Amino acid sequence: MAEQREIETKYEVGPETAAPSLVGVPGVDRVSTDEVFHLVAVYYDTDALDLAANRITLRRRTGGKDDGWHLKLPDGADRREVTVPLGDDADAPEGASAEVPAELVERVRALVRGRVLAPIAIIENERHTTYCHAVDGELLGEFVDDHVHSVSLLPDGPEKNWREWEFEVPDTSLGRKTAIAVDKVLRAAGGERPDAASKLARAIDTEAARPPVDLPKKISHATAGQLLTAALAAYRDKLLREDPRVRARGDDAVHQMRIATRQLRSVLTEFSGFFEGPARAALSSELKLLASILGAVRDAEVLAQRFEDFDADGELGGAGAALAHRQHAAEARGWGRVELALNSDRYFVLLDAIDAFIADPPLRERADQPALKSLAPLLDKRIRSFARQSTVLLADPSCTDDDVHAIRKHAKRLRYASAVVDPVVRGDLRSEVKGLSKVQTRLGEFQDATIARDAVADLAAETTDPAIAFRLGRIDAIEEIRAGQARAALPGMLRALR
């Protein structure tokens, strides 16, 4: 299974539009052409178009240089393509249905949840390819002129013919510069941005999407219920976007998925009074568990990097590396639990429950009030109350590290809640939100140092090497200073919120 980032721009053109020469485009020294390919792709999705609704396409394509199964996933403004070679079905007739490879089903399991993936469209394409090269022969980009014929396999689906251009570049700064230069030439030659995001969207004649949350044109006029439901939908979508990346152990994916679970939970906890019935509490509990499973990986990952930084200058003689080694082992164990969780029935039941909650939110009557007059004052009250209570607790000599950690978790929930209310935040409340973010950062610094000290103490209790024990003591002293500095800064920052 291969994976790469796909950076391409599409253009809609008329049937008689002449493709321009790309020689002379800044950086392009020469071009070369390839044979004409006759591509046949069968696209797969569920009956509900769950993949298309999340900007994902899955196809089996033959007739070109990259015959195989292609799964395209959103990656910011670009897409990430996962490719699996054809298996026992390599000799199947073009356009025939085949079984989707298990490794690709795994990547979209959170979206399909056991539903059948079946053909929804067949797209045939006569492809003319031109390669752009730099003076040293480096490939700068690939221009294709596609003559497309599609048949939708959906009920009453259309049959279509059209032509489009694509320009794809490598994931490099030079590639992106080339794309900008070529874009000007292709636009001047008659290329226009297509209305459809992909060939599949055009073939099935629909831009599949989840039902939108009903919001007024001027979002500041939204009710509390509308803002809360829209936030839940946005965070749900973020969780589902990150799920395939977590399964592939993508960079920062587990961190972003944990944030999404916490954001969902913050809406349900900080604004609990706007919901009725037991579903809210049940969802909150399940999300808390999921966040903790994801957090074990993320926390170990952060600590490992923190300890490796101690050894960067070589003064601590491997003590940082020894600590990091333990964290990498903990991270590996955490990944095992994440994989079990994301493939469990319990996880899929949770996702279904989130969808149902958003589709028909159990809102109380007070949720019909304008968000400006209900959510914003509530957030203001919560932040000020948090600041007062935290100031008193921190001033208490019996305040423990666990107490400070509880303050941190409360601050994080409020910060996530403030993002929900942001469209109606005004004046002093906006300043409070900014101050809250700074407080949460300081609390995070304290927590990181405290957890690091615990890890140092665990290793120090087991080591029999006096030299390592001494170096661990130096690391502990550094972390103690960091924790003290972070905690000392908190009272003044909290007073500013009151």
Side-chain angles (χ1 to χ4, degrees):
M1 184 166 63
E3 186 168 342
Q4 66 176 9
R5 195 173 193 181
E6 181 183 74
I7 304 172
E8 68 177 17
T9 308
K10 295 178 178 289
Y11 304 85
E12 184 173 338
V13 293
E16 305 301 325
T17 304
S21 171
L22 299 180
V23 176
V25 171
V28 178
D29 178 70
R30 63 181 180 85
V31 299
S32 61
T33 58
D34 208 338
E35 63 182 288
V36 176
F37 293 103
H38 296 273
L39 310 174
V40 179
V42 181
Y43 286 78
Y44 290 72
D45 207 333
T46 65
D47 287 344
L49 303 180
D50 293 298
L51 300 186
N54 288 277
R55 296 174 51 221
I56 295 173
T57 58
L58 171 63
R59 73 187 179 204
R60 179 188 183 275
R61 191 169 74 180
T62 57
K65 289 184 175 181
D66 60 349
D67 287 2
W69 289 88
H70 306 153
L71 176 68
K72 296 190 177 186
L73 304 160
D75 188 2
D78 304 312
R79 295 209 286 180
R80 186 163 295 277
E81 183 175 47
V82 184
T83 306
V84 173
L86 297 176
D88 296 336
D89 62 334
D91 296 327
E94 289 186 343
S97 177
E99 185 176 352
V100 179
E103 53 264 57
L104 295 186
V105 175
E106 171 67 17
R107 295 291 288 270
V108 296
R109 192 176 298 278
L111 296 172
V112 300
R113 304 175 204 170
R115 293 183 281 271
V116 175
L117 288 166
I120 61 167
I122 298 175
I123 298 180
E124 300 178 15
N125 180 14
E126 180 186 291
R127 170 161 288 183
H128 303 252
T129 307
T130 300
Y131 303 99
C132 298
H133 304 272
V135 65
D136 61 358
E138 179 183 356
L139 179 64
L140 299 176
E142 179 180 317
F143 170 72
V144 298
D145 184 356
D146 288 341
H147 301 253
V148 186
H149 172 73
S150 69
V151 178
S152 171
L153 302 180
L154 300 177
D156 301 318
E159 184 172 352
K160 294 184 177 183
N161 293 285
W162 75 89
R163 184 168 167 232
E164 68 180 39
W165 295 337
E166 292 179 6
F167 190 70
E168 183 174 353
V169 298
D171 186 13
T172 63
S173 59
L174 181 58
R176 293 182 183 276
K177 288 180 181 178
T178 303
I180 293 172
V182 168
D183 179 72
K184 296 178 181 178
V185 174
L186 297 182
R187 283 176 174 273
E192 299 179 353
R193 289 284 186 268
D195 292 331
S198 64
K199 286 184 174 68
L200 175 63
R202 186 163 183 172
I204 62 178
D205 207 20
T206 181
E207 286 286 355
R210 294 182 178 276
V213 175
D214 183 26
L215 285 172
K217 290 183 178 180
K218 196 168 184 179
I219 197 168
S220 60
H221 292 169
T223 65
Q226 287 174 323
L227 274 193
L228 295 175
T229 306
L232 288 170
Y235 298 148
R236 182 269 316 275
D237 293 347
K238 179 178 178 179
L239 186 150
L240 292 177
R241 283 197 305 272
E242 295 301 330
D243 178 286
R245 296 185 62 238
V246 170
R247 293 173 187 273
R249 301 197 180 188
D251 291 343
D252 202 40
V254 73
H255 176 46
Q256 292 303 320
M257 189 173 183
R258 180 169 69 159
I259 288 176
T261 63
R262 285 176 165 177
Q263 288 171 323
L264 282 164
R265 188 163 178 264
S266 73
V267 176
L268 299 172
T269 54
E270 293 304 312
F271 302 108
S272 60
F274 290 86
F275 300 101
E276 60 184 6
R280 181 205 61 79
L283 281 182
S284 179
S285 177
E286 289 296 297
L287 288 166
K288 181 180 181 180
L289 174 62
L290 177 60
S292 69
I293 293 171
L294 296 168
V297 173
R298 173 61 179 172
D299 292 344
E301 179 183 61
V302 170
L303 273 180
Q305 182 60 59
R306 189 181 187 93
F307 290 140
E308 286 168 355
D309 290 343
F310 276 111
D311 269 5
D313 57 9
E315 290 185 4
L316 292 172
L323 289 163
H325 176 74
R326 284 196 161 203
Q327 295 305 316
H328 286 308
E331 182 183 357
R333 293 192 298 271
W335 272 116
R337 290 191 288 271
V338 167
E339 290 173 358
L340 286 173
L342 296 192
N343 288 300
S344 68
D345 290 341
R346 185 172 186 169
Y347 175 59
F348 300 127
V349 169
L350 170 62
L351 295 180
D352 287 341
I354 294 171
D355 286 345
F357 193 92
I358 294 170
D360 187 17
L363 296 169
R364 295 182 185 274
E365 186 175 336
R366 64 182 296 199
D368 293 333
Q369 299 173 358
L372 182 62
K373 296 182 178 180
S374 54
L375 296 185
L378 177 62
L379 179 63
D380 177 63
K381 181 180 178 181
R382 291 278 175 83
I383 292 176
R384 291 176 183 273
S385 175
F386 159 78
R388 288 193 299 270
Q389 293 175 12
S390 300
T391 300
V392 171
L393 182 57
L394 287 169
D396 189 333
S398 64
C399 179
T400 65
D401 290 347
D402 287 341
D403 291 330
V404 180
H405 181 47
I407 292 173
R408 173 178 174 264
K409 290 193 293 185
H410 191 180
K412 184 165 287 189
R413 290 197 305 271
L414 285 173
R415 192 191 69 178
Y416 290 146
S418 69
V420 177
V421 185
D422 185 71
V424 293
V425 168
R426 300 288 187 273
D428 290 344
L429 179 55
R430 186 164 296 279
S431 297
E432 290 173 15
V433 169
K434 290 181 179 179
L436 179 66
S437 179
K438 294 177 181 178
V439 168
Q440 198 276 323
T441 298
R442 282 292 189 181
L443 286 164
E445 293 169 358
F446 175 85
Q447 181 67 10
D448 289 346
T450 301
I451 293 176
R453 293 191 71 195
D454 289 341
V456 170
D458 289 343
L459 181 56
E462 298 178 14
T463 186
T464 57
D465 185 335
I468 290 293
F470 173 75
R471 291 163 186 148
L472 289 172
R474 289 186 60 190
I475 293 176
D476 181 70
I478 293 170
E479 295 291 10
E480 183 179 21
I481 292 171
R482 289 174 172 173
Q485 290 173 336
R487 181 164 175 170
L490 289 171
M493 300 174 74
L494 288 166
R495 280 195 296 272
L497 298 180
R498 296 163 58 190

